[in-house]
Amino acid sequence: MVEKKDYLGVSSPLSLAGPSSRDELLQKQLVLTLEKNNMYESETISALRNSVMNKLEEITKRFIYEASIRKGLTPDDAKKAGGKVLTFGSCRLGVQAANADIDAVCICPRHITRSDFFEGVYKMLAKRPEVTELTAIRDAFVPIIKLKFSGIPIDLLCARLNLSTIPDDLDIDDTSLLVPLDERCIRSVNGTRVADEILKSVPDIPTFQTAVRCIKLWATRRGIYSNILGFLGGVAWALMVARVCQLYPNACASTVASKVFSIMVNWQWPHPVVLRESLEGPHLSSIQSWNPKRNPIDKTHKMPIITPAYPTMCSTHNMTNSTFRIVIGECKRAAQIMDKIMVGSLPWDALFEDHSFFKNYRHYLQIVVSSDDSLRQLQWSGLVESRLRGLTNKLESIHGLVLVHPYVEGFDNIYTCTNHEQIAAAVNGVGHHHSSHQHDTNGVKIYTRTFYIGLYFRLGSGQIDISRPISEFKRYVRSWEHYNEQHMGVVVKYLRRSVCFKIIFLSFYISFLYGMMFK
């Protein structure tokens, strides 16, 4: 038990009460519900992840060795150069679900450039029979290699440290390592460092992990689990849970999860959520810690949830006015449900009820991103998705448009086209669907990913013109240096609810039929 004078966090706990027998029963029921929803990985999947990580580290070390030889190092020095692969995100926190991907960063010595990494590691991975869906996104703010290794999705980053060798016992939490790094490298290694600090900041790790799994399942089901589109991502939700763990250090996971919602609703935003006092560290020329008194842009953050590792950052900087309102609204709804769960009048399943996004609005925007090559489509659709927030921000500025709600998932389809009319239909998202299991060699394959945005107009606003932000958005994404209008497309259309619902229902129905056919 935590004593009154011994606590983690920036303020004393709100309660030191331990769990009642009722709380412990609720926790057992919660764990069973999480297990039923595949929020825990099996021993088989866990062993596979460990095997994949070992292979990635072997590939990284071999790449660094061969690159070092090409740069003139002796075989002994090239071998000493080492190399390391570190996880971050859910795997580092120990909260990965059965279908979770692996977020990892390759740590390289200073003589290995980012270009060396993307060329060398990419080529090595491309030769592996276990690797599929391999693509390198070099011009992202933090460049990344995406792949599946033995069926497990992996996002792989690169960070160069100002060291001649990367030892196996590297202490990545040593802040002095950050001094000479550029912003991309600092952000790449900070994922691991943030996860480590979160685990150090909670009074009971298993309680934290169970509560995070609960909040993650809820946020995913309710369609508010996405950093890139302005909601809270995995790190932000984990930080929020960690702060509640500090405020209720002896509570069990069911109690912690229930408190997250009420605290989110009653928090005095934009007062920041922090796990520890501000850290002092070495001066970094490429990036500054979050500080609204010093950095004007930090004052604009609507729901600042701050990472605990130096340099501190706002994990919710993408949040818009609309996504803020949506998150708070969902937390209010969840708090009411949790009150009933805690007294036994509702089961845990009630908390995890699916969203009703495609019924909630009368008006929608449909954004269809298309390409004639599967790897090109991964890059192109990823680029468009990363810029969707710019469209939502511009839409929010239109008078009479009260709420702009981006849906957090894209819908992927493959169309096989034998004439120009079919191609035109496909890029507009109205072609004939084909499963990726099909091996039809006739015709041209068109790959699409479709995004949706729900729009709520103020009653009595009359006709509102939204064409300008749409035109600016299309012009913006088409300005990408790798955009090729002969092979890529983006179409933005307005849809009413009835039409949108029919499209979504048809997409789900056809995907289900193909899934049954090719099972």
Side-chain angles (χ1 to χ4, degrees), residues 229 357-358 364-368 388 392 405-411 413 429 449-455 493 495 499-501 503-504 507:
L229 290 176
F357 174 83
F358 293 103
Y364 294 86
L365 286 183
Q366 180 194 59
I367 301 96
V368 183
L388 275 178
T392 62
H405 186 167
Y407 186 59
V408 296
E409 295 180 19
F411 295 87
N413 284 302
R449 170 163 280 195
T450 305
F451 302 100
Y452 291 90
I453 298 175
L455 305 174
K493 293 191 295 185
L495 299 176
V499 176
C500 185
F501 189 75
I503 292 173
I504 296 301
S507 178

Side-chain angles (χ1 to χ4, degrees), residues 279-460:
L279 292 173
E280 295 297 328
H283 173 71
L284 303 176
S285 59
S286 59
I287 191 171
Q288 293 181 327
S289 279
W290 186 86
N291 187 335
K293 294 180 180 178
R294 188 179 305 158
N295 306 321
I297 196 168
D298 293 344
K299 293 181 181 179
T300 66
H301 296 155
K302 297 165 180 61
M303 185 183 281
I305 301 175
I306 310 304
T307 59
Y310 181 83
T312 56
M313 302 177 191
C314 181
S315 63
T316 50
H317 64 278
N318 287 334
M319 182 163 275
T320 67
N321 290 326
S322 291
T323 55
F324 177 89
R325 291 173 60 189
I326 292 163
V327 168
I328 294 300
E330 286 292 343
C331 286
K332 288 180 179 178
R333 174 187 177 276
Q336 293 172 351
I337 293 172
M338 278 304 313
D339 287 343
K340 296 178 180 179
I341 292 174
M342 298 302 280
V343 298
S345 61
L346 278 179
W348 279 102
D349 286 330
L351 181 66
F352 306 124
E353 181 183 314
D354 278 331
H355 63 81
S356 54
F357 174 83
F358 293 103
K359 297 179 181 179
N360 288 348
Y361 302 96
R362 293 179 58 190
H363 311 278
Y364 294 86
L365 286 183
Q366 180 194 59
I367 301 96
V368 183
V369 187
S370 60
S371 177
D372 57 4
D373 178 83
S374 59
L375 293 181
R376 183 186 290 123
Q377 176 67 4
L378 283 173
Q379 294 181 305
W380 173 225
S381 62
L383 182 281
V384 174
E385 182 178 16
S386 70
R387 296 183 176 181
L388 275 178
R389 192 170 55 88
L391 173 59
T392 62
N393 281 330
K394 288 183 180 294
L395 289 168
E396 280 189 348
S397 66
I398 294 178
H399 180 72
L401 190 44
V402 178
L403 198 70
V404 181
H405 186 167
Y407 186 59
V408 296
E409 295 180 19
F411 295 87
D412 292 315
N413 284 302
I414 303 173
Y415 303 92
T416 299
C417 307
T418 57
N419 56 52
H420 291 297
E421 288 76 16
Q422 290 180 355
I423 292 175
V427 299
N428 279 278
V430 293
H432 296 290
H433 300 252
H434 287 261
S435 168
S436 58
H437 294 284
Q438 279 190 304
H439 298 285
D440 184 5
T441 56
N442 297 321
V444 175
K445 283 223 172 14
I446 300 296
Y447 302 83
T448 68
R449 170 163 280 195
T450 305
F451 302 100
Y452 291 90
I453 298 175
L455 305 174
Y456 180 73
F457 295 95
R458 182 178 291 112
L459 293 176

